[in-house]
Amino acid sequence: MPARAKKQLLTFEDFPAGRVLDLGVKHVTEKEVLAFAWTYDPQPFHLDRLEGERSILGGLAASGWHTCAMLMRMIFDAFIKDTAGEGSPGLESLRWKRPVLVGDTLSGHGKVMEARLSQSRPGMGIARIVYELHNQRGETVIIWDCTHFFKTRAAVEGILPSAAARS
């Protein structure tokens, strides 16, 4: 039986400044909103449709933290699963612009704002990506400004210069 070819991972070089990354589509269900809320954010407007309608949210709304979790899953499915990713040091900013309601359909993109090689870690690049999700009406629901670490192609291929050669 022939050996399967190993899939080529996306590396730092695949994330130049200006690149736009499509995040696909996510439909928000009542079941998942309730499950997340009961477990992590049991406020009435996340647990009860009537309470949600009476609140400033205007309906049964996903927790902002659930919105973050959905965005993270969309990012993972769209491209992170196929990268030589090394994690993230965190977010520069996070803004919940509008509530995410049961029945909403989310879509969005990430735009690489900056990309640079690490000064202290050869073989690693740093990309700042700003993500935006919109609902089916085109309204922005979240903006997430995040820094990612990715291995460089040379690091993935094992052809980094030695420490002596870098001096």
Side-chain angles (χ1 to χ4, degrees):
M1 177 182 257
R4 277 188 141 158
K6 193 172 183 178
K7 186 173 183 175
Q8 182 74 27
L9 292 176
L10 298 171
T11 63
F12 168 72
E13 292 82 0
D14 295 305
F15 297 94
R19 180 172 180 187
V20 176
L21 305 152
D22 178 53
L23 299 179
V25 174
K26 166 77 175 104
H27 183 71
V28 181
T29 69
E30 183 170 359
K31 181 179 178 182
E32 69 182 332
V33 167
L34 293 174
F36 188 96
W38 276 113
T39 304
Y40 300 107
D41 193 354
Q43 297 182 74
F45 40 78
H46 298 318
L47 293 172
D48 182 274
R49 186 174 293 279
L50 187 56
E51 291 291 332
E53 289 169 1
R54 286 187 208 155
S55 77
I56 63 170
L57 302 176
L60 185 58
S63 164
W65 300 112
H66 184 193
T67 303
C68 290
M70 289 185 282
L71 173 53
M72 185 63 231
R73 183 58 196 234
M74 292 171 76
I75 293 167
F76 177 83
D77 289 345
F79 71 94
I80 289 290
K81 70 183 184 312
D82 299 320
T83 69
E86 291 285 293
S88 169
L91 305 177
E92 291 297 317
S93 65
L94 165 63
R95 298 286 308 210
W96 293 302
K97 304 296 281 181
R98 296 191 64 81
V100 172
L101 303 175
V102 166
D104 278 354
T105 299
L106 305 177
S107 61
H109 65 275
K111 183 174 182 181
V112 180
M113 305 305 288
E114 301 172 35
R116 63 182 173 82
L117 291 170
S118 171
Q119 295 289 317
S120 60
R121 294 185 179 178
M124 189 168 73
I126 302 165
R128 186 176 137 243
I129 304 175
V130 175
Y131 298 98
E132 286 190 27
L133 285 184
H134 306 93
N135 60 26
Q136 66 279 4
R137 292 176 297 282
E139 299 164 329
T140 302
V141 298
I142 188 172
I143 301 173
W144 180 347
D145 186 341
C146 182
T147 301
H148 295 271
F149 296 145
F150 298 106
K151 288 181 182 176
T152 63
R153 192 161 290 116
V156 169
E157 294 172 357
I159 54 173
L160 282 174
S162 69
R166 287 191 305 266
S167 316

